[in-house]
Amino acid sequence: MGLHMQVIIALLLGIKRNGHIFIGLILGILTGVFFPHSSYPQVYNILNFVGEAFINIIQMVVLPLVISAIIIGISNIGDSKQLTKFGSKMLLYYAIITVAAVSIAAGIAIILKPGISAINLVNPDVAQNVQGYVADAIQYQKENLVQIFLDLIPKNPFSALAEGKMIPIIIFVSIFAIALTKAGEISRSLIAFFESVFAATMKVTDWIMYLAAPGIFALTATSVASFGVGVFNNISKYALAICLALAIQFFIVYPLMLKLFSKVPVGKLFSAISEAIMVAFGTASSSATLPLTITCCEKRGISNKVCSFVLPLGATLNMDGTAIIQTIAVIFLTQMYGIELTPLLIIEIALLAIVASSTSAGIPGAGMITIALILNGIGLTPQQLVIGFSLIFTIERFFDMLRTICNVTSDAVVAAIIADNENELNYELLCGQNAEQKA
Ligand code: ASP
């Protein structure tokens, strides 16, 4: 059976197992179609409240989870030789996945040329609505590349914590965790404290998942209600390019990676993480999905040692879905504005997309702010492209939901490969019929 068929069957089985979330998702789409924001603002407001509340509740556990997971992950790995091995493997696999993503995205955008046909489709009303987004992007591109890297080093870890800046937090916590393991016996009680924090946040995540169906229903309904389905006609080639690139990444690249670098059965892994995939789609946030990604992977046999190290770092740094959309969006804009796409320019866009995507936070819309980094890198400003931006933003939320699926899935794929390579994967749990009961 083809690898992509195994993925499709696994997802269908996973959806069957998590039927309540899937029903929430379908009902959400239907509600969004039949109650558009413009005609039913009250319905929209109620759903928006429920959806936002759900996202806030999940985000509540993200900080304690990331901090405790990284500390446990690094202290479990223990000696620095093993840590370097784990870390370099993780970076290598994340790099392969992201390079594949931008290459596919650039190839498809060059073949389909979505920007050429969109040049006449300017909608001035929508352009007005997106002024806010463009202003954010302009603000972002004011900071130069060096400053962006400097900002990643936390001067004050507590202000980084208060502001929820994930990369600085991860840098600080990783250094702190390495120091704890080096300090020896004296740090045992502090590590035990973080083990309790981790266990408690996972328990809270279990409780939150009872709210998943109504939460996903409300989130999907509000996003469909706010863009309306008719808008797809206007930028169909752009939409097609994105869907195609994301589908290739999801159905071909991930299964191929699993086949090439591990013995992990493709279908079993996708079935194991189907719940996280649906929540990623509904929330459009890899950070908010992180607790569930960890739960799904651990329940199905990937060791805590791997999950607690690879997944929190991946949810922040590994954004291949975001890199795909950023690459296609920038090529779309350059085509729309008649800029010649030389091979050098294409390579520059692809490299900048790798940097810009990994500096994007795992929250809704982050990728469309950091896209300014790519534009700035190729000498453009978002002000010049306001009409192009307005087109992109008409369906941005929906594509955010789709790219977050890739961002989350690729983290789990890399975790599974590393677990397989390092004998940290319980195949009985991954493949067993009653895996969930055992866990
Ligand atoms: N929403 C994406 C995520 O959380 C980030 C982005 O591309 O906007 O993974």
Side-chain angles (χ1 to χ4, degrees), residues 284-286 319 322 361-367 400 403-404 407:
S285 167
S286 6
M319 298 280 178
T322 302
I363 54 170
D400 196 2
R403 68 181 178 252
T404 307
N407 291 343

Side-chain angles (χ1 to χ4, degrees), residues 337-408:
Y337 287 85
I339 297 158
E340 197 197 344
L341 268 172
T342 60
L344 197 73
L345 182 61
I346 295 165
I347 292 173
E348 209 177 326
I349 292 174
L351 289 178
L352 285 166
I354 294 174
V355 177
S357 63
S358 26
T359 60
S360 308
I363 54 170
M368 281 296 129
I369 304 285
T370 54
I371 199 172
L373 179 71
I374 312 175
L375 293 175
N376 193 229
I378 60 170
L380 292 172
T381 63
Q383 294 106 308
Q384 295 165 332
L385 309 168
V386 76
I387 295 161
F389 260 101
S390 71
L391 283 176
I392 288 174
F393 275 109
T394 48
I395 42 174
E396 156 54 14
R397 171 71 191 195
F398 180 67
F399 287 147
D400 196 2
M401 294 157 92
L402 288 184
R403 68 181 178 252
T404 307
I405 290 184
C406 278
N407 291 343
V408 167

Side-chain angles (χ1 to χ4, degrees), residues 96-107:
I96 295 176
I97 273 191
T98 312
V99 169
V102 291
S103 313
I104 291 164

Side-chain angles (χ1 to χ4, degrees), residues 266-285:
V266 173
K268 298 290 179 196
L269 182 73
F270 277 81
S271 162
I273 59 167
S274 56
E275 203 178 347
I277 290 175
M278 285 190 273
V279 171
F281 180 77
T283 60
S285 167

Side-chain angles (χ1 to χ4, degrees), residues 48-355:
N48 195 37
F49 171 79
V50 176
E52 293 279 315
F54 178 63
I55 290 212
N56 286 356
I57 290 175
I58 323 188
Q59 279 187 333
M60 184 174 76
V61 292
V62 169
L63 263 188
L65 182 72
V66 167
I67 295 171
S68 57
I70 293 178
I71 289 182
I72 300 174
I74 290 182
S75 65
N76 276 348
I77 296 172
D79 73 291
S80 28
K81 240 169 93 189
Q82 241 208 336
L83 189 62
T84 319
K85 195 165 138 213
F86 258 72
S88 43
K89 270 201 175 172
M90 180 191 73
L91 291 178
L92 175 73
Y93 290 129
Y94 281 152
I96 295 176
I97 273 191
T98 312
V99 169
V102 291
S103 313
I104 291 164
I108 288 178
I110 290 163
I111 295 168
L112 287 185
K113 298 189 177 60
I116 308 283
S117 50
I119 191 123
N120 300 320
L121 301 171
V122 174
N123 178 344
D125 288 339
V126 181
Q128 280 254 303
N129 288 344
V130 297
Q131 290 293 337
Y133 289 107
V134 177
D136 280 350
I138 293 166
Q139 182 57 34
Y140 191 88
Q141 58 101 17
K142 277 187 188 149
E143 306 166 3
N144 61 27
L145 201 57
V146 177
Q147 194 55 44
I148 288 169
F149 283 111
L150 277 180
D151 286 347
L152 299 181
I153 304 168
K155 272 190 291 226
N156 177 347
F158 295 102
S159 80
L161 273 174
E163 289 165 30
K165 289 185 174 166
M166 293 313 275
I167 298 185
I169 292 173
I170 284 179
I171 291 177
F172 171 73
V173 174
S174 304
I175 296 172
F176 187 71
I178 294 170
L180 275 182
T181 50
K182 292 272 171 222
E185 204 37 48
I186 189 136
S187 53
R188 192 52 237 158
S189 52
L190 192 54
I191 294 173
F193 166 79
F194 283 110
E195 279 167 356
S196 311
V197 173
F198 182 80
T201 45
M202 294 313 277
K203 191 81 253 104
V204 177
T205 304
D206 274 352
W207 295 337
I208 292 173
M209 280 309 121
Y210 288 114
L211 304 174
I216 298 299
F217 161 74
L219 285 166
T220 318
T222 46
S223 23
V224 175
S226 55
F227 63 67
V229 275
V231 30
F232 277 113
N233 303 334
N234 292 341
I235 43 171
S236 51
K237 263 198 171 175
Y238 173 71
L240 178 69
I242 287 180
C243 292
L244 209 62
L246 289 175
I248 291 177
Q249 185 77 353
F250 190 86
F251 290 108
I252 297 178
V253 174
Y254 301 153
L256 258 182
M257 294 263 310
L258 287 166
K259 274 268 171 267
L260 287 177
F261 300 116
S262 73
K263 307 183 294 298
V264 175
V266 173
K268 298 290 179 196
L269 182 73
F270 277 81
S271 162
I273 59 167
S274 56
E275 203 178 347
I277 290 175
M278 285 190 273
V279 171
F281 180 77
T283 60
S285 167
S286 6
S287 289
T289 312
L290 178 64
L292 193 64
T293 318
I294 295 182
T295 308
C296 290
C297 290
E298 281 195 6
K299 276 190 178 169
R300 299 296 287 267
I302 301 179
S303 77
N304 173 266
K305 189 169 171 180
V306 171
C307 286
S308 55
F309 181 66
V310 176
L311 295 175
L313 292 173
T316 315
L317 299 173
N318 175 45
M319 298 280 178
D320 57 330
T322 302
I324 285 180
I325 296 209
Q326 288 179 330
T327 307
I328 294 179
V330 173
I331 294 181
F332 168 82
L333 291 169
T334 53
Q335 289 168 342
M336 216 178 140
Y337 287 85
I339 297 158
E340 197 197 344
L341 268 172
T342 60
L344 197 73
L345 182 61
I346 295 165
I347 292 173
E348 209 177 326
I349 292 174
L351 289 178
L352 285 166
I354 294 174
V355 177

